[in-house]
């Protein structure tokens, strides 16, 4: 059985967050009304409160830019650490065989 993956626009997600607020934060009732999984709405709600969901009042593009830069820098650090380990091993090997 092939499972369909639904994608929703940021505008739709923002409207759903507003609907959750209109339902006094009741995610399960909103999920039943819209026919969307409760976990999906809960994830959207969490992202909205963290400022990571575009189209919501809490959305902070500067925060997203900082998070993306943080990811990039972590990847660079990992590569640099791996390179350093390789150089350490090579230095030890050549020092041993000199």
């Amino acid at each position: 059985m092939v499972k369909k993956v639904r994608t929703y626009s940021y505008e739709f997600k923002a409207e759903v967050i507003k609907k959750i607020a209109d339902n006094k934060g009741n995610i399960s009732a909103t999920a039943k009304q819209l026919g969307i999984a409760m976990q999906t709405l809960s994830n959207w709600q969490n992202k909205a409160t963290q400022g990571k969901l575009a189209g919501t009042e809490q959305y902070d593009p500067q925060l997203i830019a900082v998070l993306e830069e943080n990811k990039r820098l972590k990847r660079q650090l990992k590569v640099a650490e791996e390179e350093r380990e390789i150089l350490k091993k090579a230095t030890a090997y050549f020092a041993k065989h000199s």
Side-chain angles (χ1 to χ4, degrees):
M1 184 170 135
V2 177
K3 187 174 184 180
K4 290 184 180 180
V5 177
R6 292 188 199 173
T7 55
Y8 300 98
S9 68
Y10 290 118
E11 294 84 14
F12 179 77
K13 291 177 184 180
E15 288 297 319
V16 170
I17 297 303
K18 288 178 188 174
K19 193 170 197 75
I20 290 171
D22 291 344
N23 284 341
K24 299 176 184 165
N26 191 342
I27 295 173
S28 63
T30 307
K32 287 178 185 175
Q33 289 173 354
L34 298 174
I36 300 173
M38 190 172 122
Q39 184 62 46
T40 302
L41 298 189
S42 179
N43 291 340
W44 293 351
Q45 179 71 24
N46 290 337
K47 284 183 180 180
T49 56
Q50 294 171 359
K52 297 179 184 177
L53 187 64
T56 59
E57 294 175 11
Q58 301 93 341
Y59 179 66
D60 187 1
Q62 291 177 342
L63 173 65
I64 300 303
V66 169
L67 291 173
E68 290 299 319
E69 182 181 12
N70 191 19
K71 282 182 193 177
R72 183 182 58 79
L73 291 173
K74 283 183 178 181
R75 281 193 301 266
Q76 285 180 344
L77 177 62
K78 185 176 180 181
V79 168
E81 287 174 342
E82 289 172 355
E83 290 172 349
R84 186 185 72 207
E85 289 301 315
I86 291 169
L87 289 173
K88 277 184 180 180
K89 290 177 183 178
T91 303
Y93 174 79
F94 288 118
K96 190 177 190 180
H97 289 81
S98 295

